[in-house]
Amino acid sequence: MSGKAAAASFIHLQVEDVQAILNHPELSLGINGCSLKTEDNLKVLATIPPERLLLETDAPYCDIRPTHASYAHVKTTFPCVKKPEKWLEGMQVKGRNEPCNIVQVAEVVDSVIGVRCSQIALRNALTLFPKLV
């Protein structure tokens, strides 16, 4: 990171509030599928300093869907069943976001920003939540 102090807390990114949030250096921004729906959302993502990013799934909600602009940046997909009662080990239920989908958020962030921001976001998370180590 740059010589700046690490953020003391984080909030879920609401795209319309990003400039106001960036004025508070103590806040990190949590990025999930709901933050990445439109091309405008991806443009906003590109303006966020990597040292302020945290990745999240917000499971079981906020998945990256094929209708989202960010879906074009997703490389990893997982097999799904259509109904919860048809669930099998190693498969997801369609329409339900799972923690393993964090990789998709990382893929989008890395692709849009053009550097390994997912690595930086992991370091940011470990700084904000030191007991995870």
Side-chain angles (χ1 to χ4, degrees):
M1 281 204 253
S2 62
K4 298 176 187 174
S9 58
F10 85 100
I11 59 174
H12 298 285
L13 175 62
Q14 299 297 320
V15 174
E16 60 275 0
D17 298 334
V18 74
Q19 290 309 315
I21 295 166
L22 289 175
N23 289 331
H24 295 276
E26 73 280 7
L27 295 176
S28 286
L29 298 123
I31 306 296
N32 61 42
C34 290
S35 310
L36 304 168
K37 289 181 180 179
T38 69
E39 287 295 334
D40 284 344
N41 295 156
L42 298 179
K43 288 176 187 171
V44 169
L45 171 62
T47 69
I48 299 171
E51 66 271 9
R52 303 279 297 276
L53 286 174
L54 293 171
L55 307 182
E56 56 179 305
T57 61
D58 211 12
Y61 310 104
C62 293
D63 55 333
I64 297 174
R65 299 181 179 202
T67 56
H68 294 177
S70 58
Y71 192 77
H73 301 274
V74 171
K75 298 174 187 165
T76 306
T77 59
F78 300 96
C80 295
V81 296
K82 290 186 178 183
K83 298 181 180 182
E85 60 272 11
K86 302 282 185 179
W87 177 83
L88 298 169
E89 187 172 335
M91 299 188 82
Q92 295 186 37
V93 175
K94 186 175 179 161
R96 182 169 65 196
N97 198 13
E98 299 287 352
C100 64
N101 291 336
I102 193 81
V103 69
Q104 295 176 334
V105 176
E107 289 168 350
V108 172
V109 170
D110 288 351
S111 178
V112 169
I113 295 182
V115 295
R116 291 298 311 232
C117 286
S118 57
Q119 300 274 334
I120 296 166
L122 174 61
R123 186 174 62 225
N124 296 346
L126 294 175
T127 299
L128 187 60
F129 303 106
K131 291 187 178 185
L132 291 174
V133 178

